[in-house]
Amino acid sequence: MEMPPLDPAILARRSDIVAALRAIVPGEGVIDDLDGMRPYECDALSAYRQMPMVVVLPETAAQVAAILRYCQDNKVKVVPRGGGTSLSGGSMPIGDGILLAMGKFNRVLEIDYANRCARVQPGVTNLGVTKAVEHEGFYYAPDPSSQIACSIGGNVAENSGGVHCLKYGLTTNNLLGIEMVLMNGEIVRLGGKHLDAGGYDLLGLMTGSEGLLGVVTEVTVRLLRKPSTARAVLLGFPTEAGAADCVAAVIASGIIPGGMEMMDKDATKCAEAYVGAGYPLDAEGLLIVELDGPPVEVDYLVERVADIAKGRGATTIRVSHDEQERVLFWAGRKAAFPAVGQISPDYMCLDGSVPRGKLVEVLAEMRRLSKQYGLRVVNVFHAGDGNLHPLILFDANDPDELRRCEELGADILRLCVRVGGVLTGEHGVGIEKRDLMGVQFTEIDLDQQMRVKCAFDPDHLLNPGKVFPQLRRCAELGRLVVTQNRLPFPDIPRF
């Protein structure tokens, strides 16, 4: 995985850059020694590491603005970082750039129950929002598995989802407004407490922009009332195909569960050993289906889901009897990623999405690819919306295994696109999928996306080396083809 070459001219000015940052963020807000910077050398895609040139931890939007303005004026690169939980390498530092760590932006600024929203700083954890409001019966719907550690700012950058995004939407569906700082140091607000805003949907543009367009310094999120009733149904199947077929059948019947997750046999065994949730260890495919709403409706939907599962060959059907049991059912799924870490020194978590009707085909092909590359693949994923999270097990200390892991991951993501899916559902592109963007997008598509990047960051100083497979100057996108000394469309004014 290659990153842009280091700029020796910038490295030669490192002392001056550090001094300028200390003037903007006094005290302990700048880290420039190797030991102090070591925790920032990677994010959750830990197979790839690089020490930053310097780390800066601002505390106010004004400091962020001053830092970006300085970097713009002096052509210094900047990588924003939230909780450091990115699984696509989106916040991996660069050796000739500043790592802008937003961990000190960790306050809940306002809770507005009347308007069902909260204003928080981007370093507040995902789960921290729910913890701040749950005593009043509210919660924040998107819930990634890393919700105890991932930040709201990072969720905005990657458009994160989670277990309950099937019914309640991704970050973009639960985001009302942001404050952000542009590369030139300007502070702008998009959206707010109101439901929608006129004009172009710039809030939608920023959501999922992976730190390439600006730095978020405040977030306004939507709060939801906790459902009056929620019950989880545990379904075990003798085959993965049966479980995958049940997923499509439930959605096709018109039922939209609050959450619908699937684990294969290996993931089920790991999670059960880790949590003790009472999972059926003989099941090749395990589904957890949550139904929420009024009690009468939930009881009816539970029966319908159970009938559909029986028709697809389910051998285990268990319904949670109380809140404690429901939470236990989910505890295993939430802990599946760390649980798998007990059986392998390393794993790489992928993030492709496919149409639900293609799950059976895709799971079978992944098994074939796993055998071809000689690496185990454990499947844990958001089945209801087809967002796959295959975990490829490997040893990062073995260069050949890392190479095969990269190649297997690339083939799985190509498979997702081939069946009508996409490269990423919620983890973002980062560096992990950067070189596969041409599989999903044409050169014209990528040029159009690059033009958006150029409008916000013409010098490509924000998070360089991520998302786009080929770094080009913005001026190159405006090239004109001149034939026989004639400009195309000569009647159009030129600027």
Side-chain angles (χ1 to χ4, degrees), residues 236-254:
F237 294 83
T239 64
E240 284 185 349
D245 187 43
C246 183
V247 171
V250 168
I251 302 299
S253 73

Side-chain angles (χ1 to χ4, degrees), residues 196-203:
D196 202 359
Y200 291 121
D201 184 15
L202 296 179
L203 182 60

Side-chain angles (χ1 to χ4, degrees), residues 117-171:
C117 65
R119 283 194 309 117
V120 301
Q121 292 185 317
V124 173
T125 63
N126 175 286
L127 187 59
V129 178
T130 291
K131 290 293 185 183
V133 299
E134 63 184 0
H135 63 284
E136 293 288 341
F138 287 86
Y139 74 111
Y140 177 61
D143 56 343
S145 295
S146 59
Q147 66 179 151
I148 193 172
C150 67
S151 69
I152 286 294
N155 289 177
V156 173
E158 306 291 5
N159 191 21
S160 303
V163 167
H164 292 93
C165 68
L166 172 62
K167 183 173 183 178
Y168 295 104
L170 301 161
T171 298

